[in-house]
Amino acid sequence: LALAGLLALGPGVWLMAAAYLLCAWQAGRGDLPTGSPALPDRARPTVAFWLPALFSLVTLTWLWLIPARLLAGGLPVAWCGVIFAVHWLPRLVLGQAGWAWPRWLPPTAALLLAPTVAALGFCARPWQIALLLAVQGVLVGVIAATWKLDSWQPQALSEPQALAEVVGPVLGVGLLALAGTAAPFWAGAAAALALSGVSYASSRAARA
């Protein structure tokens, strides 16, 4: 990710296309793992659909706008990859750490996501965007580690999350066209509030 900006100046697009083609070919051969991320059985009736779907909608309704905002703020294109690396690194580390979080922490992290995402819609300077992206990466990492929802986990995406991976950007583009730049960020904030409620309900169900 840190090299993504530099790659964009050269053959990076073709390298990414080749990587996606390889993944699609491997999936067609059946070499990629299948199955849905495991959730606690007692929580399944509550979260089987909404938790993984909302998890993706929180980010994907607005994340694709960030490079344009960084460039509009005067950041050189080669630094955009560095900013995204700062965002993804804590998310990756926390998601793979395997720590046992307190039950109240994931709902709280999802609740804090709402003002973080909303604030991103009003930031104009690259350093402000970078700071909030880092905070957002930490909060999402806590949630991903608890419910094993990130796409780099050994399991394949669940159907609800895979659906949200497509719906999220489409929803964001539609909101951008209808209501302006801030609308996708507000939608992400609303999804974060919903995620907090569903995560809290799933935690209570797991304790029952």
Side-chain angles (χ1 to χ4, degrees):
L1 279 169
L3 296 175
L6 295 175
L7 289 173
L9 302 177
V13 174
W14 295 105
L15 292 174
M16 290 295 294
Y20 278 111
L21 180 62
L22 177 62
C23 289
W25 179 65
Q26 293 292 332
R29 294 181 54 195
D31 293 342
L32 295 183
T34 57
S36 299
L39 295 174
D41 290 338
R42 286 172 292 184
R44 189 175 301 277
T46 304
V47 303
F49 183 88
W50 290 110
L51 185 63
L54 287 169
F55 177 80
S56 292
L57 285 177
V58 167
T59 297
L60 293 177
T61 52
W62 57 267
L63 189 64
W64 48 273
L65 275 172
I66 292 298
R69 297 180 68 84
L70 290 172
L71 295 175
L75 189 75
V77 66
W79 280 93
C80 290
V82 177
I83 299 299
F84 272 93
V86 172
H87 162 69
W88 282 100
L89 183 60
R91 179 172 174 171
L92 177 62
V93 171
L94 292 172
Q96 298 293 326
W99 296 329
W101 303 106
R103 293 288 184 182
W104 54 267
L105 189 55
T108 303
L111 187 64
L112 293 175
L113 271 176
T116 302
V117 174
L120 276 164
F122 296 95
C123 291
R125 298 186 177 182
W127 71 266
Q128 296 171 330
I129 297 174
L131 179 61
L132 288 176
L133 280 178
V135 172
Q136 197 259 355
V138 171
L139 296 174
V140 170
V142 170
I143 301 169
T146 304
W147 298 109
K148 296 180 174 58
L149 293 171
D150 264 327
S151 57
W152 51 71
Q153 296 291 338
Q155 302 93 342
L157 290 179
S158 65
E159 290 184 10
Q161 189 176 354
L163 177 62
E165 297 271 348
V166 177
V167 172
V170 173
L171 175 64
V173 170
L175 290 171
L176 177 67
L178 294 174
T181 305
F185 294 94
W186 284 113
L193 290 176
L195 178 65
S196 179
V198 173
S199 180
Y200 176 72
S202 67
S203 297
R204 286 179 57 89
R207 287 197 303 266

